[in-house]
């Protein structure tokens, strides 16, 4: 299993929208590195759902339910389908991540503008532990 982080502006599409919809097509990615990350996703992989711009926090975990396929609006790009897995007990902010020395190599810190990025298992587990107050 692989782990990811997917960014969304909450005023465009929020965690609550995903929970309400139960499933969505993750579309609109127009960056080659982010597209390659979408193509690397496998059914069952988990992804942090990150509210960008407003909030700047990891708020939930989504599951990849359909592997990449051509974006219906432009075949050069790819989409995946995701569904909500679980809401984090406590959102973990970008400031918290940046201040934790164990997470300094996390892609969210190093390549902060990338909308779809890989997360190492250790980083994933650490963020979950932080959310649970451990």
């Amino acid at each position: 299993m692989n782990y990811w982080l997917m960014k969304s502006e909450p005023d465009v599409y929020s965690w609550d929208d995903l929970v309400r919809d139960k499933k969505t097509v993750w579309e609109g990615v127009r960056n080659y590195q982010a597209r390659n990350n979408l193509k690397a996703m496998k059914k069952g992989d988990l992804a942090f759902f990150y509210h960008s711009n407003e909030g700047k926090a990891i708020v939930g975990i989504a599951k990849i339910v359909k592997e990449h396929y051509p974006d219906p609006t432009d075949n050069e790009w790819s989409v995946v389908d995701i569904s909500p897995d679980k809401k984090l007990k406590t959102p973990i902010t970008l400031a918290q991540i940046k201040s934790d020395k164990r997470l300094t190599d996390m892609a969210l810190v190093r390549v902060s503008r990338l909308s779809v990025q890989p997360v190492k298992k250790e980083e994933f587990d650490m963020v979950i532990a932080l959310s649970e107050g451990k």
Side-chain angles (χ1 to χ4, degrees), residues 13-94:
Y13 195 82
S14 71
W15 172 258
D16 290 339
D17 294 328
L18 179 59
V19 170
R20 179 198 65 225
D21 296 346
K22 297 184 178 62
K23 182 174 117 174
T24 194
V25 175
W26 201 259
E27 60 186 355
V29 173
R30 296 296 185 263
N31 170 287
Y32 290 105
Q33 189 175 356
R35 179 193 64 184
N36 291 343
N37 289 336
L38 287 174
K39 286 183 170 186
M41 291 177 171
K42 300 295 179 203
K43 187 175 180 178
D45 283 356
L46 298 176
F48 283 135
F49 195 101
Y50 179 85
H51 281 169
S52 60
N53 293 343
E54 181 188 316
K56 294 187 181 180
I58 298 171
V59 296
I61 301 170
K63 184 176 279 191
I64 309 308
V65 294
K66 184 175 180 182
E67 295 180 15
H68 81 92
Y69 57 98
D71 185 323
T73 64
D74 185 340
N75 285 339
E76 180 181 351
W77 300 99
S78 294
V79 298
V80 296
D81 291 355
I82 66 170
S83 66
D85 188 56
K86 76 175 193 176
K87 184 176 184 172
L88 290 190
K89 190 175 228 177
T90 305
I92 300 301
T93 67
L94 178 59

Side-chain angles (χ1 to χ4, degrees), residues 7-8 13 20 33 45 48 64 70 77 81 93 96 102 104 110 112-113 115 134:
K7 292 182 177 183
S8 184
Y13 195 82
R20 179 198 65 225
Q33 189 175 356
D45 283 356
F48 283 135
I64 309 308
W77 300 99
D81 291 355
T93 67
Q96 285 174 278
R102 301 170 297 175
T104 55
R110 292 183 299 102
S112 61
R113 296 191 51 81
S115 64
K134 296 178 184 173

